[in-house]
Amino acid sequence: SSGRIPDENASVKGDMKMVDLSGRVAIVTGAGGGLGREHALLLAARGARVVVNDLDPEAAAAVAAEIEAAGGEALSVAASVTDAEAVSDMAAQALARWSRIDILVNNAGILRDRTFAKMDLADFRLVVEVHLMGAVNCTKAVWNQMREQNYGRIVLTTSSSGLYGNFGQSNYSAAKMALVGLMQTLALEGARNGIRVNCLAPTA
């Protein structure tokens, strides 16, 4: 790699706009499967070096191996997003290897669905801890680095359950809507340093 960080000018390939992420470094949480895996593979296909995070070390390693087999660069890190120290160490590993962190996709999550009448408060707290505080921990771990670079792209994963509600998901809905408020404020605070913060609300 030349070490060149490209402008985010989209080149047109057929009818699809392709963003060149060569030289960029991305962290994707919950990337051992599902939507997180798809994020990681797509970012790698666009040229980014990817930290593949998952609670399951085998799942994270498998996705990192997929990226490397396709000619990309990846680092697998098994850590819970609820563990702020482990998350900070993950960011440190990325910096030690690639000297920057450009992109964070907060995707890790769990479900503990029950009606509110039957829900244990411990399950309510756990879902909020993973979805909301997990995203806070990961964002905090990269925030100052992105400010120093005057560049950062952060994606938070919200949900239609948060935006509109969903029966049996009071804990999940509350956590997902909280991420929208977090996005709004971080977008304001990050703007001066070139940090853009957005939410995705997949309904797949």
Side-chain angles (χ1 to χ4, degrees), residues 15 24 29 49 56 64 78 119 122 136 147 170 184 189 195 204:
D15 292 328
R24 298 291 185 196
T29 69
R49 298 154 173 167
D56 181 345
M119 185 176 295
V136 170
R147 290 181 72 228
S170 58
Q184 298 285 19
E189 293 184 5
I195 303 171

Side-chain angles (χ1 to χ4, degrees), residues 108-111 126-135 172 175-176 179:
I110 60 168
L111 293 173
L126 179 61
V127 168
V128 171
E129 187 70 22
V130 172
H131 288 273
L132 176 58
M133 290 310 300
Y172 181 78
K176 288 305 193 183
L179 289 170

Side-chain angles (χ1 to χ4, degrees), residues 106 154-159 163 175-184 187 196-202:
N106 286 296
I154 297 172
V155 174
L156 304 165
T157 309
T158 185
S159 170
L163 300 172
K176 288 305 193 183
M177 198 59 185
L179 289 170
V180 176
L182 178 64
M183 170 199 70
Q184 298 285 19
R196 297 180 185 173
V197 187
N198 287 280
C199 277
L200 291 178

